[in-house]
Amino acid sequence: MTLKQHYKVLQDSAGQETKVPLELLEDAKNKFEYELPVANVPNGIVRSSDLVFTPQLSGKTLTLTADLGEGKSMKQVYWRKMGLT
């Protein structure tokens, strides 16, 4: 996830600073996932990090939806509080 209008500053060996977009959970060790118990799948667990989420933005609400098949889906919903930019 990249935060718009927020940056981190990197400095090279010559001391030159460069701004780059700020990303959350960009390091592989910072993994964010849910482990969901699901019958009839290997090991009985589905990891949200293995799913493909489709984003939909409506006003201040972002909905990420993963199709699980058989008419089922998993949704993660994020919204921005009023007054924040």
Coordinates of all heavy atoms in Angstrom, one line a residue:
M1 N 0.9 -1.2 0.0 CA 0.0 0.0 0.0 C 0.9 1.2 0.0 O 1.8 1.3 0.8 CB -0.9 0.0 1.2 CG -1.8 1.2 1.3 SD -2.9 1.2 2.8 CE -3.7 -0.3 2.6
T2 N 0.7 2.1 -0.9 CA 1.5 3.3 -1.0 C 0.6 4.5 -0.5 O -0.5 4.7 -0.9 CB 1.8 3.6 -2.5 OG1 2.6 2.5 -3.0 CG2 2.7 4.8 -2.6
L3 N 1.2 5.3 0.4 CA 0.5 6.5 0.9 C 0.8 7.7 0.0 O 2.0 8.1 -0.2 CB 1.0 6.8 2.3 CG 0.8 5.7 3.3 CD1 1.3 6.1 4.7 CD2 -0.7 5.3 3.4
K4 N -0.2 8.3 -0.5 CA -0.1 9.4 -1.4 C 0.3 10.6 -0.5 O -0.1 10.8 0.6 CB -1.4 9.8 -2.1 CG -1.8 8.7 -3.1 CD -3.0 9.2 -3.8 CE -3.4 8.2 -4.9 NZ -4.6 8.6 -5.6
Q5 N 1.2 11.5 -1.1 CA 1.7 12.7 -0.5 C 2.5 12.4 0.8 O 2.6 13.3 1.6 CB 0.5 13.6 -0.2 CG -0.3 14.0 -1.4 CD -1.5 14.9 -1.1 OE1 -1.7 15.4 0.0 NE2 -2.3 15.1 -2.1
H6 N 3.0 11.2 1.0 CA 3.9 10.9 2.1 C 5.1 10.2 1.5 O 5.0 9.4 0.6 CB 3.2 10.0 3.1 CG 2.0 10.7 3.8 ND1 2.2 11.4 4.9 CD2 0.7 10.7 3.5 CE1 1.0 11.9 5.3 NE2 0.1 11.5 4.4
Y7 N 6.3 10.6 2.0 CA 7.5 10.1 1.4 C 8.5 9.7 2.5 O 8.4 10.2 3.7 CB 8.2 11.2 0.6 CG 7.2 11.7 -0.5 CD1 6.4 12.8 -0.3 CD2 7.2 11.0 -1.8 CE1 5.5 13.2 -1.3 CE2 6.4 11.4 -2.8 CZ 5.5 12.5 -2.6 OH 4.7 12.9 -3.5
K8 N 9.4 8.9 2.2 CA 10.6 8.6 3.0 C 11.8 9.2 2.3 O 11.8 9.2 1.0 CB 10.7 7.2 3.4 CG 11.0 6.2 2.3 CD 11.2 4.8 2.8 CE 11.4 3.8 1.6 NZ 11.5 2.5 2.2
V9 N 12.8 9.5 3.0 CA 14.0 10.1 2.4 C 15.1 9.1 2.4 O 15.4 8.6 3.5 CB 14.4 11.4 3.1 CG1 15.7 12.0 2.5 CG2 13.3 12.4 3.0
L10 N 15.7 8.8 1.3 CA 16.8 7.9 1.2 C 18.1 8.8 0.9 O 18.0 9.7 0.2 CB 16.7 6.9 0.1 CG 15.4 6.0 0.2 CD1 15.4 5.1 -1.0 CD2 15.5 5.2 1.5
Q11 N 19.2 8.3 1.5 CA 20.4 9.1 1.3 C 21.5 8.1 0.7 O 21.7 7.0 1.3 CB 20.9 9.6 2.7 CG 22.1 10.6 2.5 CD 22.4 11.2 3.9 OE1 22.7 10.5 4.8 NE2 22.4 12.6 3.9
D12 N 22.1 8.5 -0.4 CA 23.1 7.7 -1.0 C 24.5 7.9 -0.4 O 24.6 8.7 0.6 CB 23.2 7.9 -2.5 CG 23.6 9.3 -3.0 OD1 24.2 10.0 -2.1 OD2 23.3 9.6 -4.1
S13 N 25.5 7.2 -0.8 CA 26.8 7.3 -0.2 C 27.5 8.7 -0.4 O 28.3 9.0 0.4 CB 27.8 6.2 -0.8 OG 27.8 6.4 -2.2
A14 N 27.0 9.5 -1.3 CA 27.5 10.8 -1.5 C 26.7 11.8 -0.7 O 27.0 13.0 -0.7 CB 27.5 11.2 -3.0
G15 N 25.7 11.4 0.1 CA 25.0 12.3 0.9 C 23.8 12.9 0.2 O 23.1 13.7 0.8
Q16 N 23.6 12.5 -1.1 CA 22.4 13.0 -1.8 C 21.1 12.4 -1.3 O 21.0 11.2 -1.2 CB 22.6 12.7 -3.3 CG 21.6 13.3 -4.2 CD 21.6 14.8 -4.4 OE1 22.6 15.4 -4.1 NE2 20.5 15.4 -4.7
E17 N 20.1 13.2 -1.0 CA 18.8 12.7 -0.6 C 17.8 12.6 -1.7 O 17.8 13.5 -2.6 CB 18.3 13.7 0.5 CG 19.1 13.6 1.8 CD 18.5 14.5 2.9 OE1 17.6 15.3 2.6 OE2 19.0 14.3 4.0
T18 N 17.1 11.6 -1.6 CA 16.0 11.4 -2.6 C 14.7 11.0 -1.9 O 14.7 10.1 -1.0 CB 16.4 10.2 -3.6 OG1 17.7 10.5 -4.2 CG2 15.4 10.0 -4.7
K19 N 13.6 11.6 -2.3 CA 12.3 11.3 -1.8 C 11.7 10.1 -2.6 O 11.7 10.2 -3.8 CB 11.4 12.5 -1.8 CG 11.6 13.5 -0.8 CD 10.5 14.6 -0.8 CE 10.7 15.6 0.2 NZ 9.7 16.7 0.1
V20 N 11.2 9.1 -1.9 CA 10.5 8.0 -2.6 C 9.1 7.8 -1.9 O 9.0 8.1 -0.7 CB 11.3 6.7 -2.6 CG1 12.6 6.9 -3.4 CG2 11.6 6.3 -1.2
P21 N 8.1 7.4 -2.6 CA 6.8 7.1 -2.0 C 6.9 6.2 -0.7 O 7.7 5.3 -0.7 CB 6.0 6.5 -3.1 CG 6.7 6.9 -4.3 CD 8.1 7.0 -4.0
L22 N 6.1 6.5 0.3 CA 6.1 5.8 1.5 C 5.1 4.6 1.3 O 4.0 4.8 0.9 CB 5.6 6.6 2.7 CG 5.6 5.9 4.0 CD1 6.9 5.4 4.4 CD2 5.0 6.9 5.1
E23 N 5.7 3.4 1.5 CA 4.9 2.2 1.3 C 4.8 1.5 2.7 O 5.8 1.3 3.4 CB 5.5 1.3 0.3 CG 5.4 1.9 -1.1 CD 5.9 0.9 -2.2 OE1 6.1 -0.3 -1.9 OE2 6.0 1.4 -3.3
L24 N 3.6 1.0 3.0 CA 3.3 0.2 4.2 C 3.6 -1.2 3.9 O 3.2 -1.7 2.8 CB 1.9 0.4 4.7 CG 1.5 1.9 5.0 CD1 0.1 1.9 5.5 CD2 2.4 2.5 6.1
L25 N 4.1 -1.9 4.9 CA 4.4 -3.4 4.8 C 5.1 -3.8 3.5 O 4.9 -4.7 2.9 CB 3.0 -4.1 4.8 CG 2.1 -3.8 6.0 CD1 0.8 -4.5 5.8 CD2 2.8 -4.2 7.3
E26 N 6.1 -2.9 3.1 CA 6.9 -3.2 1.9 C 7.9 -4.3 2.1 O 8.3 -4.9 1.1 CB 7.6 -1.9 1.4 CG 8.7 -1.4 2.4 CD 9.3 -0.1 1.9 OE1 9.2 0.2 0.7 OE2 9.8 0.6 2.7
D27 N 8.4 -4.6 3.3 CA 9.4 -5.6 3.5 C 8.7 -6.9 3.6 O 7.6 -7.1 4.2 CB 10.1 -5.2 4.8 CG 11.3 -6.1 5.0 OD1 11.2 -7.3 4.9 OD2 12.4 -5.5 5.2
A28 N 9.3 -7.9 3.0 CA 8.7 -9.3 3.0 C 8.4 -9.8 4.5 O 7.5 -10.6 4.7 CB 9.6 -10.3 2.3
K29 N 9.2 -9.4 5.4 CA 9.0 -9.9 6.8 C 7.8 -9.2 7.5 O 7.3 -9.6 8.5 CB 10.3 -9.6 7.6 CG 10.6 -8.2 7.9 CD 11.9 -8.0 8.7 CE 12.2 -6.6 8.9 NZ 13.4 -6.3 9.6
N30 N 7.3 -8.1 6.9 CA 6.2 -7.4 7.4 C 4.9 -7.9 6.7 O 4.2 -7.2 6.0 CB 6.3 -5.9 7.2 CG 7.4 -5.3 8.0 OD1 7.7 -5.8 9.1 ND2 8.0 -4.3 7.5
K31 N 4.6 -9.2 6.8 CA 3.5 -9.8 6.1 C 2.2 -9.6 6.9 O 2.2 -9.9 8.2 CB 3.8 -11.3 5.9 CG 3.0 -11.9 4.9 CD 3.5 -13.3 4.6 CE 2.8 -13.9 3.5 NZ 3.4 -15.2 3.1
F32 N 1.2 -9.2 6.3 CA -0.1 -9.0 6.9 C -1.1 -10.0 6.2 O -1.4 -9.8 5.0 CB -0.6 -7.6 6.8 CG -1.9 -7.3 7.4 CD1 -2.1 -7.3 8.8 CD2 -3.1 -7.2 6.6 CE1 -3.3 -7.0 9.3 CE2 -4.3 -7.0 7.2 CZ -4.4 -6.9 8.5
E33 N -1.6 -10.9 7.0 CA -2.5 -11.9 6.4 C -3.4 -12.5 7.4 O -3.1 -12.5 8.6 CB -1.8 -13.0 5.6 CG -1.0 -13.9 6.5 CD -0.3 -15.0 5.8 OE1 -0.4 -15.2 4.6 OE2 0.4 -15.8 6.5
Y34 N -4.5 -13.0 6.9 CA -5.4 -13.8 7.8 C -5.3 -15.3 7.4 O -5.1 -15.6 6.2 CB -6.9 -13.4 7.5 CG -7.2 -12.0 7.8 CD1 -7.4 -11.0 6.8 CD2 -7.4 -11.5 9.1 CE1 -7.7 -9.7 7.0 CE2 -7.7 -10.2 9.4 CZ -7.8 -9.3 8.4 OH -8.1 -8.0 8.6
E35 N -5.4 -16.1 8.4 CA -5.4 -17.6 8.1 C -6.9 -18.0 8.4 O -7.3 -17.9 9.6 CB -4.4 -18.3 9.0 CG -3.0 -18.1 8.5 CD -2.0 -18.9 9.2 OE1 -2.4 -19.6 10.3 OE2 -0.8 -19.0 8.8
L36 N -7.6 -18.4 7.4 CA -9.0 -18.8 7.5 C -9.2 -20.3 7.5 O -8.7 -20.9 6.5 CB -9.8 -18.1 6.3 CG -9.5 -16.6 6.1 CD1 -10.0 -16.2 4.8 CD2 -10.1 -15.9 7.3
P37 N -9.9 -20.8 8.5 CA -10.1 -22.3 8.5 C -11.2 -22.6 7.4 O -12.3 -22.0 7.5 CB -10.6 -22.5 9.9 CG -11.2 -21.2 10.4 CD -10.4 -20.2 9.7
V38 N -10.9 -23.4 6.4 CA -11.8 -23.7 5.4 C -11.8 -25.2 5.1 O -10.7 -25.8 4.9 CB -11.5 -23.0 4.1 CG1 -12.4 -23.4 2.9 CG2 -11.5 -21.5 4.3
A39 N -13.0 -25.8 5.2 CA -13.1 -27.3 4.9 C -12.8 -27.6 3.5 O -12.9 -26.7 2.6 CB -14.5 -27.8 5.3
N40 N -12.3 -28.8 3.2 CA -12.1 -29.3 1.8 C -11.0 -28.6 1.1 O -11.0 -28.5 -0.1 CB -13.4 -29.3 1.0 CG -14.5 -30.1 1.7 OD1 -14.2 -31.1 2.2 ND2 -15.7 -29.6 1.6
V41 N -10.0 -28.0 1.8 CA -8.8 -27.4 1.1 C -7.6 -28.1 1.8 O -7.6 -28.5 3.0 CB -8.7 -25.9 1.2 CG1 -9.9 -25.2 0.5 CG2 -8.6 -25.4 2.7
P42 N -6.5 -28.2 1.1 CA -5.3 -28.8 1.7 C -4.9 -28.0 3.0 O -5.0 -26.8 3.1 CB -4.2 -28.5 0.6 CG -4.9 -28.4 -0.6 CD -6.3 -27.8 -0.3
N43 N -4.6 -28.7 4.0 CA -4.2 -28.2 5.4 C -5.4 -27.5 6.1 O -5.2 -27.0 7.2 CB -3.0 -27.3 5.3 CG -1.8 -28.0 4.8 OD1 -1.6 -29.2 5.0 ND2 -1.0 -27.3 4.0
G44 N -6.5 -27.4 5.4 CA -7.7 -26.8 6.1 C -7.6 -25.3 6.3 O -8.4 -24.8 7.1
I45 N -6.6 -24.7 5.6 CA -6.4 -23.2 5.9 C -6.3 -22.5 4.5 O -5.6 -23.0 3.6 CB -5.2 -23.0 6.7 CG1 -5.4 -23.5 8.1 CG2 -4.8 -21.5 6.7 CD1 -4.2 -23.3 9.0
V46 N -6.9 -21.3 4.4 CA -6.7 -20.4 3.3 C -6.0 -19.2 3.8 O -6.5 -18.6 4.8 CB -8.0 -20.1 2.5 CG1 -7.8 -19.0 1.5 CG2 -8.6 -21.4 1.9
R47 N -4.9 -18.8 3.2 CA -4.3 -17.5 3.6 C -4.7 -16.4 2.7 O -4.7 -16.5 1.5 CB -2.7 -17.7 3.6 CG -2.2 -18.6 4.6 CD -0.7 -18.8 4.6 NE -0.2 -19.6 5.7 CZ -0.2 -20.9 5.7 NH1 -0.7 -21.6 4.7 NH2 0.2 -21.6 6.8
S48 N -5.1 -15.3 3.4 CA -5.5 -14.1 2.6 C -4.4 -13.6 1.7 O -4.7 -13.1 0.6 CB -6.0 -13.0 3.5 OG -5.0 -12.5 4.3
S49 N -3.2 -13.8 2.0 CA -2.1 -13.4 1.2 C -2.0 -14.2 -0.1 O -1.3 -13.8 -1.1 CB -0.7 -13.5 1.9 OG -0.5 -14.8 2.3
D50 N -2.6 -15.3 -0.2 CA -2.7 -16.1 -1.4 C -3.8 -15.8 -2.4 O -3.9 -16.3 -3.5 CB -2.8 -17.6 -1.1 CG -1.5 -18.1 -0.4 OD1 -0.4 -17.6 -0.6 OD2 -1.7 -19.1 0.4
L51 N -4.7 -14.9 -1.9 CA -5.9 -14.5 -2.7 C -5.6 -13.3 -3.5 O -4.7 -12.5 -3.2 CB -7.1 -14.2 -1.7 CG -7.5 -15.4 -0.8 CD1 -8.6 -14.9 0.1 CD2 -8.0 -16.6 -1.7
V52 N -6.3 -13.1 -4.6 CA -6.2 -11.9 -5.4 C -7.4 -11.0 -5.1 O -8.6 -11.4 -5.3 CB -6.2 -12.3 -6.9 CG1 -6.2 -11.1 -7.8 CG2 -5.0 -13.2 -7.2
F53 N -7.1 -9.8 -4.7 CA -8.2 -8.9 -4.3 C -8.4 -7.8 -5.4 O -7.4 -7.3 -5.9 CB -7.9 -8.2 -3.0 CG -8.0 -9.1 -1.8 CD1 -6.9 -9.9 -1.4 CD2 -9.2 -9.1 -1.0 CE1 -7.0 -10.7 -0.3 CE2 -9.3 -9.9 0.1 CZ -8.2 -10.7 0.5
T54 N -9.7 -7.6 -5.7 CA -10.0 -6.5 -6.7 C -10.5 -5.3 -5.9 O -11.4 -5.4 -5.1 CB -11.1 -7.0 -7.6 OG1 -10.7 -8.2 -8.2 CG2 -11.5 -6.0 -8.7
P55 N -9.9 -4.1 -6.2 CA -10.2 -2.9 -5.5 C -11.5 -2.2 -6.1 O -11.6 -2.3 -7.3 CB -9.0 -2.0 -5.6 CG -8.4 -2.4 -6.9 CD -8.7 -3.9 -7.0
Q56 N -12.3 -1.6 -5.3 CA -13.4 -0.8 -5.7 C -13.4 0.4 -4.8 O -13.6 0.3 -3.6 CB -14.7 -1.5 -5.7 CG -15.8 -0.7 -6.2 CD -17.2 -1.4 -6.2 OE1 -17.3 -2.6 -5.8 NE2 -18.2 -0.7 -6.7
L57 N -13.3 1.6 -5.4 CA -13.4 2.9 -4.6 C -14.7 3.5 -4.8 O -15.1 3.7 -6.0 CB -12.2 3.8 -5.0 CG -12.0 5.1 -4.2 CD1 -11.8 4.8 -2.8 CD2 -10.9 5.9 -4.9
S58 N -15.4 3.9 -3.7 CA -16.6 4.6 -3.8 C -16.6 5.6 -2.7 O -16.7 5.4 -1.5 CB -17.8 3.6 -3.5 OG -19.0 4.3 -3.5
G59 N -16.5 6.9 -3.2 CA -16.4 8.0 -2.2 C -15.2 7.8 -1.3 O -14.0 7.7 -1.8
K60 N -15.4 7.7 0.0 CA -14.3 7.6 0.9 C -14.1 6.1 1.4 O -13.4 5.8 2.4 CB -14.5 8.5 2.1 CG -14.4 9.9 1.7 CD -14.5 10.8 2.9 CE -14.5 12.3 2.5 NZ -13.5 13.0 3.2
T61 N -14.7 5.2 0.6 CA -14.7 3.8 1.0 C -13.9 3.0 0.0 O -14.3 3.0 -1.2 CB -16.1 3.2 1.2 OG1 -16.7 4.0 2.2 CG2 -16.0 1.7 1.7
L62 N -12.9 2.2 0.4 CA -12.2 1.3 -0.5 C -12.6 -0.1 -0.1 O -12.4 -0.5 1.1 CB -10.7 1.5 -0.3 CG -9.8 0.4 -1.0 CD1 -10.0 0.5 -2.5 CD2 -8.4 0.6 -0.6
T63 N -13.1 -0.9 -1.0 CA -13.5 -2.3 -0.8 C -12.6 -3.2 -1.6 O -12.5 -3.0 -2.8 CB -15.0 -2.6 -1.1 OG1 -15.8 -1.7 -0.4 CG2 -15.3 -4.0 -0.8
L64 N -11.9 -4.1 -0.9 CA -11.1 -5.1 -1.6 C -11.8 -6.5 -1.5 O -12.1 -6.9 -0.4 CB -9.7 -5.2 -0.9 CG -8.9 -3.9 -0.8 CD1 -7.7 -4.2 0.0 CD2 -8.5 -3.4 -2.2
T65 N -12.1 -7.0 -2.7 CA -12.9 -8.3 -2.8 C -12.1 -9.4 -3.4 O -11.5 -9.2 -4.5 CB -14.2 -8.0 -3.6 OG1 -14.9 -6.9 -3.0 CG2 -15.1 -9.3 -3.5
A66 N -12.1 -10.6 -2.8 CA -11.4 -11.8 -3.3 C -12.5 -12.8 -3.6 O -13.3 -13.1 -2.7 CB -10.4 -12.3 -2.4
D67 N -12.6 -13.3 -4.8 CA -13.6 -14.3 -5.2 C -13.1 -15.6 -4.7 O -12.0 -16.1 -5.0 CB -13.7 -14.3 -6.7 CG -14.7 -15.3 -7.2 OD1 -15.4 -15.9 -6.4 OD2 -14.8 -15.4 -8.5
L68 N -13.9 -16.3 -3.9 CA -13.5 -17.6 -3.3 C -14.2 -18.7 -4.1 O -14.0 -19.9 -3.7 CB -14.0 -17.7 -1.9 CG -13.4 -16.6 -1.0 CD1 -13.9 -16.7 0.5 CD2 -11.8 -16.6 -1.0
G69 N -15.0 -18.4 -5.2 CA -15.6 -19.5 -5.9 C -17.0 -19.8 -5.3 O -17.3 -19.5 -4.1
E70 N -17.8 -20.5 -6.0 CA -19.1 -21.0 -5.6 C -19.9 -19.8 -5.0 O -20.7 -20.0 -4.0 CB -18.9 -22.1 -4.6 CG -18.3 -23.3 -5.1 CD -18.1 -24.5 -4.1 OE1 -18.8 -24.4 -3.1 OE2 -17.3 -25.4 -4.5
G71 N -19.8 -18.6 -5.6 CA -20.6 -17.5 -5.1 C -20.2 -16.9 -3.8 O -20.8 -16.0 -3.2
K72 N -19.0 -17.3 -3.3 CA -18.5 -16.8 -2.0 C -17.3 -15.8 -2.3 O -16.6 -15.9 -3.3 CB -18.0 -17.9 -1.2 CG -19.1 -18.9 -0.8 CD -18.6 -20.0 0.0 CE -19.8 -21.0 0.3 NZ -19.4 -22.2 1.0
S73 N -17.2 -14.9 -1.4 CA -16.1 -13.9 -1.5 C -15.7 -13.4 -0.1 O -16.4 -13.6 0.9 CB -16.5 -12.7 -2.3 OG -17.6 -12.0 -1.7
M74 N -14.5 -12.9 -0.1 CA -14.0 -12.2 1.2 C -13.8 -10.8 0.8 O -13.2 -10.4 -0.2 CB -12.6 -12.9 1.5 CG -12.0 -12.2 2.7 SD -10.4 -13.0 3.1 CE -9.9 -11.9 4.4
K75 N -14.2 -9.9 1.7 CA -14.1 -8.5 1.5 C -13.4 -7.8 2.7 O -13.6 -8.2 3.9 CB -15.5 -7.8 1.4 CG -16.2 -8.2 0.1 CD -17.5 -7.5 0.0 CE -18.1 -8.0 -1.3 NZ -19.3 -7.1 -1.7
Q76 N -12.5 -6.9 2.4 CA -11.9 -6.0 3.4 C -12.3 -4.6 3.0 O -12.2 -4.2 1.9 CB -10.4 -6.2 3.3 CG -9.9 -7.5 3.7 CD -8.4 -7.6 3.8 OE1 -7.7 -7.0 4.6 NE2 -7.8 -8.3 2.9
V77 N -12.8 -3.9 4.0 CA -13.4 -2.5 3.7 C -12.6 -1.5 4.6 O -12.4 -1.7 5.8 CB -14.9 -2.5 4.1 CG1 -15.4 -1.1 3.8 CG2 -15.6 -3.5 3.3
Y78 N -12.1 -0.5 3.9 CA -11.4 0.6 4.5 C -12.1 1.9 4.2 O -12.6 2.1 3.1 CB -10.0 0.7 4.0 CG -9.1 -0.6 4.2 CD1 -9.1 -1.6 3.3 CD2 -8.4 -0.7 5.4 CE1 -8.4 -2.7 3.5 CE2 -7.7 -1.9 5.6 CZ -7.7 -2.9 4.7 OH -6.9 -4.0 4.9
W79 N -12.2 2.8 5.2 CA -12.8 4.1 4.9 C -12.1 5.2 5.5 O -11.4 5.0 6.5 CB -14.3 4.1 5.3 CG -14.5 4.0 6.8 CD1 -14.7 5.0 7.7 CD2 -14.6 2.8 7.6 NE1 -14.8 4.5 8.9 CE2 -14.8 3.2 8.9 CE3 -14.5 1.5 7.3 CZ2 -14.9 2.3 9.9 CZ3 -14.6 0.6 8.3 CH2 -14.8 1.0 9.6
R80 N -12.2 6.3 4.9 CA -11.5 7.5 5.5 C -12.5 8.3 6.3 O -13.6 8.6 5.8 CB -11.0 8.4 4.3 CG -10.1 9.5 4.8 CD -9.5 10.3 3.7 NE -9.6 9.9 2.4 CZ -9.3 10.6 1.3 NH1 -8.8 11.8 1.5 NH2 -9.4 10.1 0.1
K81 N -12.1 8.7 7.5 CA -13.0 9.5 8.4 C -13.1 10.9 7.8 O -12.2 11.4 7.1 CB -12.4 9.6 9.8 CG -12.4 8.2 10.5 CD -12.0 8.4 11.9 CE -12.0 7.2 12.7 NZ -11.6 7.4 14.1
M82 N -14.3 11.4 8.1 CA -14.5 12.8 7.6 C -13.5 13.8 8.2 O -13.0 13.6 9.3 CB -15.9 13.2 8.0 CG -17.0 12.4 7.4 SD -17.1 12.3 5.7 CE -17.6 14.0 5.3
G83 N -13.1 14.7 7.4 CA -12.2 15.8 7.9 C -10.7 15.4 7.6 O -9.9 16.3 7.7
L84 N -10.4 14.2 7.2 CA -9.0 13.8 6.9 C -8.8 13.9 5.4 O -9.7 13.7 4.6 CB -8.8 12.3 7.3 CG -8.8 12.1 8.8 CD1 -8.6 10.6 9.1 CD2 -7.9 12.9 9.6
T85 N -7.6 14.2 5.0 CA -7.3 14.3 3.6 C -6.3 13.3 3.2 O -5.6 12.7 4.0 CB -6.7 15.7 3.3 OG1 -5.5 15.9 4.1 CG2 -7.7 16.8 3.5

